[in-house]
Every structure is written in structure tokens, then in C-alpha cells.
Amino acid sequence: MTSEIEATRGVAVVNRFRPEDLSCPLSTTVRHVGEWWTLLILHDAFDGYTRFDQFQRNLKISSSMLTTRLKTLVDDGLLERTQYQDRPPRYEYLLTELGRSLRPVIVTLAAWGNARLATEDRTMILVDSESGEEVEPVVVDRSTGRPIDGTRYVFTAGPAATEAMRRRYEPPRTQ
């Protein structure tokens, strides 16, 4: 078991990863985008921000933290660092195709948060850009169109599952 300690808002947070977490798609996704600043940077990128100073000004994030998070997002293939000025050298950070594929996830997280607020307490809402009407995103099964909420849809071990993952999803034994 490995552990990492991060300071989050002055509180030490311990992240513990079990060996089976290394092959779990949920665990690996959270390791890439589950950190507070990372989600906010991606949100800004979806809103069209591309430059270091734009992210810093909007998020009020320290230079060192922003540098670290942008480097991680570039290393993970979610953003691409491109030079837009030679003297002095300046860079912008553009969403890659992989990064853009996270938009539905970010939209769904925001909708989940909004659903727990009174309408008058929502600071942002998702609207159709053509009609201006508020929309409510839902996650559905592509082939049936049925919402994936509730107990009908469950996880099971996939073809590349480790033994630990297979044990996790084996059917309960009846006695």
C-alpha cells in the first residue's frame, strides 16, 4: 500500500492506494482529475481559458500550484502546452481530444451539485446555447436510452480484471 499526503486548505489528506486500485478505472480517473484545482482548471479550459495568467486571475491560485497542476494535466495528455509568443516565451494550454472527452463528466458533476441546491442558490446553470433553456444532463445507456441510475446497472469484473477485482465482483455465495 502506498500513500501520498497533500495539503488541502491547510488540512493533511492521506490518499491510500491499494494494489487493485491501480487497475480500477474509477481509481485511476480520480488520480488524474479528482484533485480540487485540477477540476477547476479543466472547468476554466472548457470555458475558453488557455493562458496561465487567465487561469491564475480567475482561480486566484498560487503560481507554484498552477504550474504543478498544468504540468500534470499536460503529462496526463488532457492539455497540450503550445508556445504562442517568442519574446518572452509564452505558452497556452489547450484541451486535447482526451481532455475534451471529460466535458460530460464535469457537466454531470456540476449538475449533481446543482440538484442539491435551491434554484436561487445556484451560481451557474447549464443551458442550451441556442434556446437559452436550462437543461438537465443525465447519463444513459447508449443502446437503450435508459438512465443509468439505481440498481439495474452494476459493475462486474472485465476481461483485464486482476484476481482482486474478480473477487470483488463475484456473486455472493448462498448457503
Side-chain angles (χ1 to χ4, degrees), residues 6-13 35-37 40 65 69:
E6 282 188 35
T8 305
R9 294 190 198 181
V11 177
V13 177
E35 195 274 331
W36 166 272
W37 287 117
L40 294 178
M65 179 64 75
R69 295 296 173 227

Side-chain angles (χ1 to χ4, degrees), residues 22 37 40-41 45 131 133 140-141 163:
L22 298 175
W37 287 117
L40 294 178
I41 291 166
S131 70
E133 295 292 319
V140 299
D141 173 46
E163 189 56 37

Side-chain angles (χ1 to χ4, degrees), residues 23 25 155-163 165-166 169:
S23 64
F155 288 106
T156 190
T162 61
E163 189 56 37
M165 190 66 78
R166 290 184 190 290
Y169 291 114

Side-chain angles (χ1 to χ4, degrees), residues 49-163:
Y49 294 83
T50 62
R51 298 186 178 174
F52 189 95
D53 61 326
Q54 292 173 320
F55 290 117
Q56 188 173 35
R57 187 172 42 253
N58 190 53
L59 296 173
K60 297 175 181 44
I61 182 175
S62 73
S63 293
S64 62
M65 179 64 75
L66 181 56
T67 299
T68 300
R69 295 296 173 227
L70 287 171
K71 181 180 181 333
T72 299
L73 287 164
V74 169
D75 290 348
D76 288 347
L78 301 173
L79 293 177
E80 178 180 47
R81 183 176 183 241
T82 306
Q83 188 169 349
Y84 69 87
Q85 178 180 310
D86 290 329
R87 294 190 182 164
R90 298 275 189 238
Y91 299 88
E92 62 183 352
Y93 298 86
L94 304 171
L95 286 160
T96 62
E97 184 176 332
L98 183 62
R100 285 188 301 276
S101 73
L102 277 168
R103 188 165 195 283
V105 175
I106 305 281
V107 165
T108 303
L109 284 171
W112 183 86
N114 268 344
R116 276 125 196 92
L117 295 173
T119 302
E120 64 273 8
D121 293 335
R122 296 175 182 177
T123 59
M124 67 177 189
I125 58 172
L126 186 66
V127 298
D128 179 312
S129 65
E130 293 178 14
S131 70
E133 295 292 319
E134 184 173 357
V135 296
E136 182 181 353
V138 294
V139 179
V140 299
D141 173 46
R142 183 186 304 260
S143 63
T144 65
R146 286 190 287 250
I148 300 178
D149 56 359
T151 59
R152 178 184 182 126
Y153 297 93
V154 298
F155 288 106
T156 190
T162 61
E163 189 56 37

